[in-house]
Amino acid sequence: GQNAWKDAVYKNAEEILAIFAQYYPASAMQRFRKLFMEHLRLTDEVAAGLKADPAFSGAAMENWYINAEEIASFLSRQTPAYNETELRKMFYDHLDMERQQMEAYLDGDYETDIEIYLRSQQNMIELADFLTSGLLARYNHIITSDFKCHNHKL
């Protein structure tokens, strides 16, 4: 049920963090982990708020968007290839879709829930592509040398 879903979300978060940990220093990763885990915690709070009151717009909702701004700012400082404004918009779009999906689900509008889920998947693919291209632009020399090392072992 819900615990399996939450476990999958946290496992996915750990996988994402592990990718960045290959390129960012430990001190930066500590900050990124904190911001990312805060995103997940706030997502839970927003979901609980919407479940209790469909018109929910409490502090958790505001903090959810502030956290997205903080993540965009952090990532753009760590990887200059990331345009902070573009990244912030992608994160806002992600949060908007998550909220809309939660609202549709809680309203019992499962058709809309699925439609938004599919759009959200596309948004996450685009975000992953954007983040990957930034890492490639910034750390190409590391990735290329790792690739050559791995190929050499074959």
Side-chain angles (χ1 to χ4, degrees):
Q2 193 169 2
N3 284 338
W5 179 85
K6 197 178 253 188
D7 289 347
V9 168
Y10 278 87
K11 180 179 184 287
N12 186 46
E14 290 299 334
E15 290 170 355
I16 292 167
L17 290 167
I19 291 167
F20 281 92
Q22 295 176 55
Y23 307 103
Y24 288 2
S27 59
M29 283 309 300
Q30 186 175 14
R31 175 74 177 137
F32 190 28
R33 172 177 293 283
K34 182 179 179 201
L35 288 168
F36 206 132
M37 292 302 132
E38 180 72 358
H39 164 67
L40 298 179
R41 186 187 69 71
L42 288 165
T43 301
D44 285 344
E45 279 189 36
V46 167
L50 287 170
K51 187 174 184 180
D53 175 10
F56 175 76
S57 63
M61 185 78 76
E62 182 180 340
N63 290 335
W64 202 31
Y65 284 86
I66 291 169
N67 172 260
E69 292 173 8
E70 291 173 344
I71 292 172
S73 176
F74 168 81
L75 289 173
S76 65
R77 282 193 315 272
Q78 293 300 312
T79 306
Y82 296 149
N83 177 297
E84 183 176 348
T85 303
E86 189 175 354
L87 193 53
R88 184 181 304 124
K89 182 186 179 328
M90 289 178 164
F91 286 142
Y92 283 174
D93 289 348
H94 169 65
L95 296 184
D96 289 345
M97 281 187 263
E98 277 197 58
R99 188 192 76 248
Q100 291 164 6
Q101 187 181 358
M102 289 178 208
E103 290 168 346
Y105 178 82
L106 292 169
D107 286 346
D109 185 354
Y110 303 118
E111 192 172 302
T112 300
D113 174 28
I114 292 167
E115 176 189 315
I116 295 168
Y117 171 78
L118 293 173
R119 279 195 353 249
S120 181
Q121 271 190 322
Q122 184 59 40
N123 170 263
M124 292 310 297
I125 290 167
E126 290 168 11
L127 179 58
D129 287 349
F130 180 84
L131 294 172
T132 301
S133 67
L135 286 175
L136 287 171
R138 173 72 170 90
Y139 300 101
N140 191 37
H141 63 287
I142 296 171
I143 295 167
T144 303
S145 66
D146 283 352
F147 181 71
K148 287 178 183 172
C149 268
H150 294 307
N151 276 345
H152 183 67
K153 290 177 185 177
L154 295 174

